[in-house]
Amino acid sequence: MIEFQPSDDQALIAETVRQFAENEVRPQARTCDETGEMPAEIVSAAHELGLVANALPEAVGGGGERSAVTGCLIAEELAWGDLAIAVGILTPSLVGLPVADFGTDEQKNTVLKALCGSEFQAGALAITEPEFDFDVFRPRTTATRNGDHYVIEGRKCQVPAPGELPMLVTAMEGDALQAFLVDAKSSGIDRKRESNLGLRGLATEEITLSGVEVPASARLGGEAGADVRSLIVRGRVAMAAMAIGVARAAFETSRDYAKERETFGAPIATRQAIAFKLADMAIEIDGARLLTWEAAWRLDDGKDALREATLAYQQAQKVALTVSDGAVQVFGGHGYIRDYLPEMHLRNASGFASFEALSLV
Amino acid sequence: MAISFEPTENTVAAKEHFNSIAMEQMRPISRRYDENEGEVPTEWVEWWWNTGRKQTSGKLDGPSDGFIQACVQAEELCFGDAALYLRMPTPALGGSAVGAAGTSEQKVQFLKHFHADGGHPIWGAMAITEPQAGSDASAIETTAEFDEASDEWVINGQKIFCTAGKGSSTVDGGFTVVWATIDPEAGRAGIKSFVVPANTPGMELVGCEKKLGIRASDTATLRFENCRVPRDHLLGSAEVKKKDPKKAGDKGFKGVLATFDASRPIVAAMAVGVGRASLDFVKENLAERGVEIRYDAPPAELTALERDLMEMEAELQAARLLTWRAASLISKGRPNNLEASMAKAKAGLAVTRITQKAVGLLGAEGYSTKLMVEKWMRDAKINDIYEGTQQINQLIVARRILDYPSSVLR
């Protein structure tokens, strides 16, 4: 039966995360963006909520509640609070969920148990490459088998700064797209902190891999390998949900401002020029969210979702950019000033044109 | 319950059923009745009356998607032909008004002919718009005065843009629901709706419009000169609440407007049907020439054609899902005023753009009447106008999200 209401459990999780985003995340959003520093106490608090571990298998200490739809609800609420902090909180999933789906027992034991431990562990995914014609399904980075190890060559960017855990690197092994768990301290790796238009609170790196050797057992899934393509599809659904969270934040911020700001003796929200813009924002956000939920539902139902995920992500990218730009416009000159949030939402929203992920929900 | 996009077997069966009607009964005569505006599409009207309306859509036991299924029906039939859909001999919007505001006696009295086994095709319709009052329905000037002596309402005025109004006003057994004021001083509170049976003396069919699209649908102008209907042909109460016209006073008018909350998702679904006809055709046409959409191609490699087609697909599906969400709330008996207007605004505009893009993508062929895409473009545009224009629906959405009454956001 077609149903647009989340289950009671899903609604409870979404409400919990919404409150967390409102009370903990949002108040830190501006500082995080200005200083470029992730508030560690918020990341720890989110870890204690179990937002990542809840979706990991019970066998390694997780909650066993994997659902792309639930993941989308969580991702939207966190991104509504702040995109950089949201990604900071969820980086463990970038490695954890691919390992949960395709990892060998050994990989699960090392990575997942660490993620389900008492301390937060950052995850790092090296998927994007700094080229205008980057093809996420056919990266230029290569992995070549040489006896009992692989040699990886390539350049990656937008990599959340690696912590203790190995980072996940996508590469072409001949004609096959695969992923490898690579220790960020391996020789042949050169790391540089990036500076980007948005997502400034999240430390990200450009990483060059020159003749980096990893053991054969570092390939995700070992000898069997992994269906990395399906992980990219999942990633698109998650990124779409985050884009919607950013759009909703921009919409609500400008809606509230429009009810307070007066021109010619009345709030600007009483003018159709502003009111209709806000109405269009609300309609487009809901439309993109339903596309995203449909793609997520297909994943949970075990259906192929490349088409739906791609369309949803494209739509969500467009909506996030249009809505956040509209929010700056509603604020007028104040929208351009860093005292208010819309300019940050606009900078963050424009990143979705290049963001890709493996799984994340 | 949880978020799900899996239609029930009932919905799937209904989709197949109405799709086969669309392809077998409607498409073959679609062009002909577009070109012969005003002609009654007899074979379609007779087929629906004698056969179509009596068929079940493969109704099964088990769960139903409720009002979403009605949207699926509207989408499929408008995938066939939106104008022929509007020409179907049914109570249509007149029936919705009777259903929403009528007593059980009135429902039986006015709708029974539509359920009769035999008889001949008949139509219902709703007459709201006047030459000087469209979106602002509270500005209508048609009057209804009560004549104590004869115990009748006497209607005077003129109505335009009455969909199916030719059939509803001239074929015995049908009826037109007419909006009129019983107290011009009372503003919105004075507006009531009246059932005027076909061929009631004093009601005159002035003529039908010549239109951009939906040409097989009769869009009538009706004149009322001392048109008398019995007292019990008023839908709802005759009481005019004058206390505060901005608040409690317009409950009655709001009741009348509430029928839009059910009709707007249907119109949105109709729009989606026309848009899908166009998009499916373009995709199939281009696929025959080797154009396939690559959903996994990097942005730098996507062709302009692929980008256009992907955007059209996403826009159409967003419109459909917003429509189904609004419909789902109806099934649950929950308010859907916001969601219905969101769906209508989105679908009306998305489908207008999709069908226009389809004409452009096919070049000169798309512009030619040899293909149907030019017709679908003409048929689509009305969806962004009737049952509340794009702008009226934006206004309703804006009032809801800003929590402003109509007195504040005008």
Side-chain angles (χ1 to χ4, degrees):
Chain A
M1 191 187 295
I2 298 166
E3 174 60 56
F4 295 88
Q5 288 288 113
S7 68
D8 290 348
D9 281 354
Q10 286 171 333
L12 184 67
I13 292 171
E15 178 56 21
T16 306
V17 181
R18 193 196 65 73
Q19 286 178 17
F20 179 78
E22 183 173 354
N23 300 327
E24 311 295 331
V25 177
R26 178 64 69 79
Q28 294 294 323
R30 176 53 80 184
T31 313
C32 177
D33 182 73
E34 291 287 327
T35 61
E37 295 197 9
M38 185 63 54
E41 70 285 2
I42 294 180
V43 173
S44 295
H47 179 70
E48 277 162 32
L49 277 179
L51 296 182
V52 169
N54 202 36
L56 295 175
E58 285 176 289
V60 293
E65 301 272 341
R66 181 82 178 275
S67 154
V69 171
T70 308
C72 283
L73 297 174
I74 294 170
E76 177 182 334
E77 295 303 334
L78 287 177
W80 174 89
D82 181 66
L83 184 63
I85 298 174
V87 177
I89 287 169
L90 293 177
T91 61
S93 299
L94 291 169
V95 180
L97 292 175
V99 168
D101 284 350
F102 296 106
T104 60
D105 288 345
E106 187 199 339
Q107 289 165 347
K108 286 180 185 168
N109 269 324
T110 18
V111 174
L112 302 187
K113 282 194 176 151
L115 293 181
C116 294
S118 56
E119 294 291 309
F120 171 82
Q121 298 284 338
L125 170 68
I127 183 168
T128 309
E129 299 177 356
E131 303 283 352
F132 84 98
D133 58 351
F134 168 62
D135 183 347
V136 70
F137 293 104
R138 290 194 71 83
R140 290 202 170 95
T141 300
T142 56
T144 311
R145 183 79 182 244
N146 187 357
D148 62 354
H149 62 273
Y150 284 96
V151 180
I152 302 176
E153 298 272 353
R155 216 147 60 97
K156 295 287 184 179
C157 63
Q158 295 181 350
V159 183
E164 300 298 313
L165 290 172
M167 62 179 172
L168 198 54
V169 180
T170 61
M172 293 304 290
E173 182 183 343
D175 261 347
L177 175 61
Q178 292 295 340
F180 298 83
L181 288 158
V182 181
D183 185 340
K185 297 183 200 80
S186 307
S187 76
I189 288 185
D190 180 52
R191 297 164 52 183
K192 266 197 290 231
R193 170 91 194 239
E194 290 175 342
S195 171
N196 289 317
L197 171 63
L199 214 66
R200 297 183 66 82
L202 182 77
T204 58
E205 299 180 355
E206 185 167 327
I207 295 184
T208 308
L209 301 102
S210 320
V212 175
E213 290 192 6
V214 295
S217 62
R219 185 165 84 159
L220 182 63
E223 286 303 313
D227 180 3
V228 177
R229 199 181 167 83
S230 73
L231 293 170
I232 292 169
V233 171
R234 298 189 82 91
R236 287 189 170 169
V237 175
M239 297 317 265
M242 292 198 139
I244 290 157
V246 173
R248 201 183 96 216
F251 159 67
E252 291 178 4
T253 306
S254 57
R255 176 199 61 194
D256 295 347
Y257 179 80
K259 291 188 74 170
E260 284 174 12
R261 174 75 179 183
E262 295 200 353
T263 53
F264 314 108
I268 58 172
T270 64
R271 319 289 183 199
Q272 289 189 348
I274 301 295
F276 283 18
K277 189 188 272 289
L278 293 168
D280 286 343
M281 289 180 186
I283 294 167
E284 292 303 318
I285 290 168
D286 280 9
R289 182 189 296 112
L290 294 178
L291 290 177
T292 305
W293 282 2
E294 186 185 28
W297 168 79
R298 287 183 70 87
L299 292 175
D300 287 345
D301 211 45
K303 295 180 164 77
D304 177 69
L306 170 67
R307 173 177 173 274
E308 290 75 14
T310 302
L311 293 180
Y313 190 24
Q314 284 182 357
Q315 192 77 359
Q317 285 173 21
K318 187 175 74 176
V319 169
L321 199 53
T322 314
V323 168
S324 55
D325 179 75
V328 170
Q329 199 66 27
V330 167
F331 269 72
H334 296 285
Y336 203 70
I337 306 295
R338 298 217 303 278
D339 290 347
Y340 297 94
L341 288 177
E343 64 81 29
M344 187 182 87
H345 291 141
L346 176 58
R347 288 186 286 108
N348 285 342
S350 61
F352 290 104
S354 58
F355 296 160
E356 296 274 4
L358 290 188
S359 209
L360 201 64
V361 296
Chain B
M1 267 200 272
I3 292 165
S4 169
F5 295 84
E6 186 80 59
T8 61
E9 286 179 39
N10 264 308
T11 302
V12 174
K15 183 179 164 69
E16 282 171 15
H17 175 72
F18 291 108
N19 184 264
S20 71
I21 293 175
M23 299 313 288
E24 287 160 24
Q25 307 294 334
M26 302 174 96
R27 284 281 179 96
I29 57 170
S30 188
R31 176 61 77 182
R32 190 175 127 213
Y33 288 105
D34 180 65
E35 286 179 350
N36 296 284
E37 191 168 15
E39 198 180 313
V40 180
T42 315
E43 62 269 63
W44 164 242
V45 167
E46 293 287 339
W47 183 85
W48 180 262
W49 187 260
N50 295 319
T51 309
R53 75 182 168 120
K54 295 172 185 169
Q55 291 177 338
T56 60
S57 55
K59 252 186 204 158
L60 310 162
D61 293 330
S64 153
D65 286 311
F67 205 75
I68 290 174
Q69 195 173 313
C71 292
V72 168
Q73 174 178 344
E75 177 181 332
E76 291 307 320
L77 292 176
C78 290
F79 179 79
D81 187 299
L84 293 173
Y85 172 81
L86 293 167
R87 198 66 183 253
M88 286 162 75
T90 72
L93 285 175
S96 311
V98 172
T103 63
S104 47
E105 289 80 18
Q106 285 173 322
K107 286 176 197 168
V108 172
Q109 184 184 1
F110 300 124
L111 299 178
K112 65 182 176 199
H113 303 298
F114 290 90
H115 306 304
D117 223 15
H120 56 82
I122 54 174
W123 289 267
M126 180 107 97
I128 305 172
T129 303
E130 298 180 1
Q132 81 296 337
S135 296
D136 181 7
S138 65
I140 63 175
E141 291 172 0
T142 295
T143 57
E145 284 180 81
F146 189 65
D147 180 359
E148 302 274 353
S150 64
D151 207 32
E152 287 172 326
W153 291 100
V154 185
I155 302 172
N156 278 287
Q158 180 163 307
K159 293 290 177 183
I160 62 169
F161 299 168
C162 175
T163 299
K166 182 180 179 187
S168 75
S169 65
T170 62
V171 180
D172 283 338
F175 65 89
T176 310
V177 172
V178 179
W179 287 26
T181 175
I182 61 173
D183 184 354
E185 305 297 308
R188 294 150 59 113
I191 294 170
K192 303 289 171 183
S193 51
F194 299 85
V195 177
V196 181
N199 293 317
T200 300
M203 173 170 63
E204 182 201 349
L205 172 68
V206 178
C208 287
E209 304 286 351
K210 297 189 175 76
K211 306 188 296 297
L212 172 66
I214 54 164
R215 291 185 181 166
S217 165
D218 47 325
T219 306
T221 297
L222 302 175
R223 187 182 298 136
F224 297 86
E225 280 180 9
N226 295 323
C227 175
R228 290 170 171 272
V229 294
R231 176 209 281 265
D232 67 1
H233 283 38
L234 164 71
L235 297 175
S237 144
E239 189 187 354
V240 177
K241 291 176 183 164
K242 279 188 187 172
K243 278 180 243 161
D244 182 355
K246 278 177 189 152
K247 285 185 182 163
D250 43 13
K251 276 281 179 331
F253 189 69
K254 275 186 181 160
V256 180
L257 289 181
T259 56
F260 286 125
D261 293 341
S263 62
R264 282 182 178 141
I266 293 291
V267 172
M270 292 165 61
V272 170
V274 180
R276 194 182 102 217
S278 210
L279 179 55
D280 279 6
F281 181 84
V282 171
K283 275 161 57 183
E284 283 160 22
N285 189 288
L286 291 174
E288 283 167 17
R289 303 162 204 210
V291 178
E292 294 280 0
I293 307 174
R294 296 165 300 159
Y295 296 98
D296 56 356
E301 274 181 31
L302 282 176
T303 64
L305 258 181
E306 285 174 295
R307 278 182 190 279
D308 282 342
L309 291 171
M310 287 166 93
E311 182 169 18
M312 290 155 85
E313 288 191 336
E315 289 282 314
L316 188 72
Q317 184 65 2
R320 181 184 287 124
L321 294 178
L322 286 169
T323 302
W324 287 359
R325 181 180 66 164
S328 151
L329 291 166
I330 294 176
S331 309
K332 294 179 175 178
R334 290 178 48 192
N336 76 334
N337 180 254
L338 168 67
E339 292 80 2
S341 278
M342 282 181 149
K344 170 65 173 64
K346 178 67 186 174
L349 187 56
V351 166
T352 293
R353 287 181 178 156
I354 286 165
T355 54
Q356 290 173 2
K357 190 60 138 178
V359 168
L361 287 181
L362 293 180
E365 282 188 298
Y367 200 67
S368 161
T369 58
K370 279 184 231 159
L371 299 182
M372 296 298 283
V373 287
E374 64 81 25
K375 175 185 184 291
W376 290 326
M377 177 188 134
R378 289 184 287 108
D379 287 350
K381 181 63 201 172
I382 191 61
N383 293 291
D384 211 20
I385 299 172
Y386 66 11
E387 216 62 10
T389 59
Q390 172 72 214
Q391 288 68 27
I392 282 296
N393 284 295
Q394 282 174 311
L395 187 60
I396 292 167
V397 171
R399 284 174 186 158
R400 291 276 162 185
I401 59 173
L402 290 162
D403 196 22
Y404 279 159
S406 55
S407 56
V408 172
L409 182 56
R410 304 175 70 82

